[in-house]
Amino acid sequence: MSLRHALLAMLDAGAMTGYELAKTFDQSANRVWHATHPQIYTELRKLEREKLVAAREEPRGPQGKATKRAYTLTEAGYEELCRWVSTVEEPTLPRDATYLKATYFEYASPDIVREQFATHLAYHAEQLRRWEWHVEQLRARGTDLMQRRLARAPESRHAAIVAYKVHVYEGMAERARAEVAWAERGLALVDRLGQD
């Protein structure tokens, strides 16, 4: 289960409340593993029950009358994170509704097919922009999570911490470029078929 391991890795950067963790997730891991805030809170409760994280109550608000829970990674949580990262994953088989639908585009009008390819192109062009921007932020060590992680890690690990994250998001940018190119070829195909 990758959500739990992403949360464990984020908590290795330091204690966070559920709210902080959800916001941090949105700005980091959510780019490669989507999860909603309710899913994150549910997973946090499971991690706490399994003693992979520990929670402590902290005062919240100006009067300090309310409380919030700050989570930290336990030794067992750190060991589970290391175990998971050290396990080789088999690639998953694709499940892509757009590609499945494109297999049968002969049943749709050329205008609908064109719209589908244009929508796909626009989405992935925006993703490409976001991935490239994130790569630059990571290279500059400019994200909050990166700064927190580097502050806690020995300097000898800094280059690897940055390089692996940059590598992931460069890969995401490459995927987005390939999807943009595929959609562009699809639009050209619709035009070519319209001329036949």
Side-chain angles (χ1 to χ4, degrees), residues 170-184:
E170 284 177 334
M172 298 304 289
E174 289 169 12
R175 281 187 187 179
R177 269 188 219 97
E179 293 297 334
V180 166
W182 179 77
E184 288 171 340

Side-chain angles (χ1 to χ4, degrees), residues 1-12 25 29 33 43 47 52 73 77-85 87 89 149:
M1 169 92 186
S2 297
L3 172 58
R4 68 179 18 226
H5 297 99
L7 297 175
L8 292 173
M10 281 185 261
L11 287 171
D12 191 41
F25 188 90
W33 189 270
E43 194 61 41
L47 291 170
L52 298 176
L73 186 65
Y78 181 79
E79 289 171 6
E80 172 56 19
L81 174 61
C82 292
R83 184 208 60 77
W84 174 73
V85 171
T87 303
E89 294 281 334
R149 189 173 303 283

Side-chain angles (χ1 to χ4, degrees), residues 60-149:
R60 180 178 68 184
Q63 308 299 324
K65 292 181 181 177
T67 60
K68 59 185 176 181
R69 294 170 61 82
Y71 295 88
T72 56
L73 186 65
T74 64
E75 184 62 34
Y78 181 79
E79 289 171 6
E80 172 56 19
L81 174 61
C82 292
R83 184 208 60 77
W84 174 73
V85 171
S86 299
T87 303
V88 175
E89 294 281 334
E90 289 293 323
T92 56
L93 293 173
R95 292 181 68 180
D96 191 305
T98 300
Y99 277 76
L100 181 61
K101 188 181 287 189
T103 305
Y104 304 107
F105 272 163
E106 70 270 16
Y107 294 105
S109 73
D111 288 342
I112 294 297
V113 174
R114 192 174 287 107
E115 183 179 347
Q116 181 69 56
F117 280 128
T119 299
H120 193 83
L121 191 153
Y123 173 81
H124 287 285
E126 175 59 19
Q127 292 303 304
L128 175 58
R129 185 194 66 72
R130 292 177 67 196
W131 299 140
E132 290 175 335
W133 179 85
H134 197 61
V135 165
E136 293 310 311
Q137 292 296 305
L138 291 170
R139 280 193 179 123
R141 302 175 180 204
T143 70
D144 180 59
L145 185 59
M146 177 67 77
Q147 291 170 1
R148 290 178 73 167
R149 189 173 303 283

